[in-house]
Amino acid sequence: MPKIKVIHGPNLNLLGKRETMVYGTGSLAEIDSAMKELADQLGLEISAMQTNSEADIIDAIHKTDYDLLIINPAAYTHTSIAIRDAIAAVSKPVIEVHLSNIHKREEFRRHSFIAEVAVGQISGFGPGSYMLALRAARKILMDREPQKKP
Ligand code: DQA
């Protein structure tokens, strides 16, 4: 079964309590359990982690025990060349996810260092962004499977 690693970046442990007008009232645990349910349906193995540390995110990217990475780098999206370089270094497919639409918020959120090393970015659908990312992950992984001879 293809393995998906999910990394939730800084402050996302406070989902449900933090800026609820922007990020909603659902918790990170709720997102993780909805993702697990959908992953089961899609035939994907999933493991999720949250950390507030840039170094831990980089170490998790380097540990290539996954076929595809779904990452919400949170504020590091807009600042971290180190996370961008870690993704470039391992050459695994990556989907960048954001709960809010970063393109209709403050100017400083509009630039992502991650976007140019990701397959794509999903932004603005609340917890649904993660579900869309899982469906995209399945498609990416299926398309990569060697074509069977007729
Ligand atoms: C976020 C958007 C970022 O700009 C912000 O720093 C976050 C969360 C999102 O999911 O919408 O912490 O990544």
Side-chain angles (χ1 to χ4, degrees), residues 10 12 18 23 72 74-75 77-78 97-100 102 105 109:
L12 294 172
R18 163 196 187 210
Y23 299 116
N72 182 347
T77 307
H78 321 296
V97 164
H98 300 284
L99 294 146
S100 63
I102 58 171
R105 296 184 62 195
R109 293 187 204 276

Side-chain angles (χ1 to χ4, degrees), residues 36-105:
K36 170 85 178 80
E37 203 173 301
L38 181 59
D40 286 348
Q41 287 167 27
L42 297 174
L44 302 169
E45 197 178 313
I46 192 167
S47 78
M49 59 173 273
Q50 189 278 328
T51 173
N52 295 321
S53 151
E54 188 176 23
D56 288 350
I57 292 175
I58 292 164
D59 289 343
I61 292 168
H62 288 176
K63 190 166 179 233
T64 49
D65 51 354
Y66 55 91
D67 298 301
L68 183 145
L69 175 68
I70 294 175
I71 183 167
N72 182 347
Y76 290 136
T77 307
H78 321 296
T79 63
S80 183
I81 297 169
I83 292 175
R84 180 235 177 265
D85 284 354
I87 290 170
V90 298
S91 52
K92 295 274 182 186
V94 172
I95 303 174
E96 177 186 347
V97 164
H98 300 284
L99 294 146
S100 63
N101 180 349
I102 58 171
H103 302 285
K104 70 170 190 192
R105 296 184 62 195

Side-chain angles (χ1 to χ4, degrees), residues 119-145:
V119 179
Q121 183 192 73
I122 301 172
S123 177
F125 299 94
S129 293
Y130 288 95
M131 307 306 144
L132 291 167
L134 262 184
R135 293 187 185 278
R138 184 166 187 280
K139 171 131 186 29
I140 292 163
L141 293 167
M142 293 302 128
D143 288 351
R144 286 188 170 208
E145 285 217 336

